[in-house]
Amino acid sequence: MSLGLEGLPGSGTFAHGVHPPERKNFSSDVPIEVIPAANSVLLPLTQHVGAPCAPIVKAKQAVSYGEMVANAEAFVSAPIHSPINGKVQKTGVTTLPNGRHVPAIPIVAEGDQISADQLWEETFGGKWSLNEAAEFAPEKIGAAIRQAGIVGQGGAAFPTHVKFAKNEKKPIEALLVNGCECEPYLTTDYRLMLEASEPIIAGAILAARAVGAETIAIGIEDNKPKAVEALKAAAAGTAVKVCVIHTKYPQGSEKQLIKALVGREVPVGGLPMDVGVAVTNVGTAAAIAGAVLRGKPLTHRVVCVTGGGIAQPKNLLVPIGIAFGELVAYCGGLKLNAGRLVAGGPMMGFAFTDLAMPVTKGTSALTVLTTEDVQKADETACIRCGRCVDACPMNLVPTKLALASRHKDLELAQRYHIMACFECGCCAYICPANLPIVQLVRTGKALLMAKR
């Protein structure tokens, strides 16, 4: 598919990066299915970057679908709502796939539950008034997003109302919507673009009004022509540009998307607002539309269950807090050759073993790799080939960071800008010595944070 930048000044790509096998065929043609209401959910009080929430309900209290159950006064936080009708249990602790132990509210289902058809209709279905979105009062948009508990659904889980708060010192010129989904296997955003294109466009218009952006552009990789067609049809007659850019990993990273679409470089340690840009994910945009135009809190999200180790790969609309094990069971169970469970994609996701862990607002996928996929050659010494440097989209020196972290030389790690690494995994993918570069970088970051 040819590039189409709709008059934007970018080149349609960025420097460095890699081209791993896409492997999206497992679930790319499977329409989103609404999973029936869970028998119970477990809602971690930390599901986003920022201050954790505090429960506002007590054990044995009855709660309704969509009712707020946890909140925080801190600005960088997002409240949590119940995805089911049920009864609150005593607050416990759960472990997230990234290894964090956090308090969590268990809720057991009681009474009638929302039907699958009604849930889909409320969340993505029906007509969406783009005219109403284009005229909505900007000052009310951020408040509605905050009340709905929306966080970024692309993986970072940053509270969305914070990202779209107006900053008079750093005006935003362009709102970019990320429809790249460059991780291998994942098809969550792809199916959303096909099946929920109208709320995505409405959410993009609302987000642009919130930050005062004049340019609105959706970036989609050229390996998703059907998604391009669907969004162009939904955006007809609006100010939203649907742009086609090159397929390359990690094109879905916000800094690389900004470079590809508007040709600007976010400075090391900086944010998109430093170059006059705000970025959001397509799933987040759809959630914004639901919050602002329909008053719907974020209680469910689309999760892709995929890979060669799952019996029936699917794209599912699921209640937040449902156990990963229930998703596996709904998809027919694990195959005999299942070798590794990954929350997210194989490049940036977290391997885990406990199927009782809950889906959170930031969960995009459950990827089940086969034993053949995860067979790994032994680690050898770095041969200083420089391939990791050639692949790094942030122009870092990954092996320097990894070895500094391994030897706990935090001063050296800081000198080589370890905190600028966003752990895309290009270096580990390309490394002929099989160094666990990303894991070492994560360790180094954790040591630095503990030191501070």
Side-chain angles (χ1 to χ4, degrees):
M1 191 174 189
S2 60
L3 291 187
L5 289 168
E6 302 295 327
L8 295 181
S11 64
T13 190
F14 61 95
H16 307 301
V18 295
H19 292 88
E22 295 178 9
R23 296 184 178 170
K24 294 178 183 286
N25 56 301
F26 290 104
S27 54
S28 60
D29 294 328
V30 183
I32 299 169
E33 191 174 338
V34 182
I35 199 168
N39 293 325
S40 65
V41 292
L42 184 61
L43 300 172
L45 297 177
T46 300
Q47 298 193 41
H48 54 263
V49 175
C53 290
I56 58 173
V57 293
K58 296 179 180 178
K60 299 182 181 179
Q61 180 177 334
V63 293
S64 303
Y65 159 68
E67 182 178 338
M68 188 184 294
V69 296
N71 199 1
E73 294 183 357
F75 181 55
V76 186
S77 186
I80 297 168
H81 303 76
S82 175
I84 58 175
N85 295 319
K87 185 168 284 186
V88 176
Q89 308 297 301
K90 186 178 179 182
T91 300
V93 175
T94 188
T95 304
L96 302 178
N98 62 8
R100 291 190 68 183
H101 302 287
V102 298
I105 300 175
I107 301 176
V108 174
E110 276 192 4
D112 296 334
Q113 304 294 329
I114 187 171
S115 70
D117 289 344
Q118 186 183 351
L119 179 62
W120 178 264
E121 193 66 16
E122 283 186 7
T123 309
F124 299 124
K127 293 300 294 180
W128 294 78
S129 175
L130 301 185
N131 289 333
E132 184 184 356
E135 296 172 359
F136 209 92
E139 62 272 14
K140 294 182 179 178
I141 296 173
I145 294 172
R146 203 278 178 193
Q147 180 69 17
I150 298 174
V151 306
Q153 295 190 23
F158 194 82
T160 303
H161 68 280
V162 179
K163 180 180 283 191
F164 293 141
K166 261 197 172 180
N167 186 328
E168 299 298 337
K169 295 181 180 177
K170 296 181 179 179
I172 300 298
E173 300 169 22
L175 183 281
L176 306 184
V177 181
N178 185 354
C180 290
E181 193 162 51
C182 57
E183 269 260 11
Y185 291 93
L186 306 196
T187 57
T188 301
D189 290 349
Y190 175 66
R191 291 309 311 183
L192 264 178
M193 288 189 281
L194 292 183
E195 301 179 54
S197 50
E198 275 194 40
I200 290 173
I201 298 298
I205 294 171
L206 288 164
R209 284 189 65 75
V211 294
E214 293 186 358
T215 298
I216 312 171
I218 302 177
I220 306 175
E221 288 186 310
D222 57 8
N223 63 349
K224 303 178 183 65
K226 291 181 181 177
V228 173
E229 290 176 15
L231 284 177
K232 279 189 172 179
T238 73
V240 179
K241 303 172 186 286
V242 179
C243 304
V244 183
I245 53 184
H246 283 301
T247 298
K248 185 166 63 169
Y249 183 84
Q251 184 61 87
S253 161
E254 62 180 14
K255 290 183 174 65
Q256 280 60 50
L257 185 67
I258 292 169
K259 179 66 177 176
L261 288 178
V262 296
R264 299 178 187 175
E265 297 266 6
V266 179
V268 174
L271 296 170
M273 70 169 62
D274 295 325
V275 294
V277 177
V279 183
T280 192
N281 165 270
V282 289
T284 313
I288 290 171
V292 177
L293 300 180
R294 297 184 174 179
K296 180 175 172 50
L298 183 62
T299 58
H300 292 69
R301 66 154 298 150
V302 177
V303 175
C304 167
V305 184
T306 184
I310 189 79
Q312 300 165 18
K314 294 178 183 288
N315 297 289
L316 300 170
L317 179 62
V318 307
I320 291 164
I322 192 172
F324 279 110
E326 290 198 45
L327 306 190
V328 169
Y330 194 76
C331 293
L334 300 176
K335 290 184 177 177
L336 292 177
N337 66 344
R340 181 176 295 169
L341 302 169
V342 181
M347 300 294 282
M348 296 189 71
F350 291 87
F352 69 102
T353 56
D354 184 0
L355 284 171
M357 286 183 183
V359 168
T360 65
K361 296 177 181 180
T363 302
S364 59
L366 168 58
T367 305
V368 185
L369 302 175
T370 65
T371 51
E372 294 79 12
D373 292 330
V374 298
Q375 278 179 346
K376 179 185 173 187
D378 292 337
E379 179 184 338
T380 61
C382 173
I383 59 173
R384 292 171 173 74
C385 62
R387 294 176 68 183
C388 61
V389 178
D390 292 337
C392 179
M394 294 301 291
N395 296 313
L396 302 173
V397 187
T399 49
K400 285 282 187 186
L401 298 176
L403 297 177
S405 175
R406 174 171 281 173
H407 296 291
K408 295 184 172 53
D409 189 344
L410 301 185
E411 184 180 341
L412 182 63
Q414 281 184 293
R415 198 187 314 156
Y416 280 89
H417 303 290
I418 189 171
M419 299 308 287
C421 171
F422 61 93
E423 304 165 18
C424 66
C426 288
C427 50
Y429 173 78
I430 208 77
C431 178
N434 297 309
L435 295 177
I437 298 174
V438 176
Q439 289 89 334
L440 289 169
V441 167
R442 284 175 179 161
T443 301
K445 286 182 177 180
L447 291 172
L448 270 174
M449 295 301 290
K451 186 179 176 183
R452 290 172 182 171

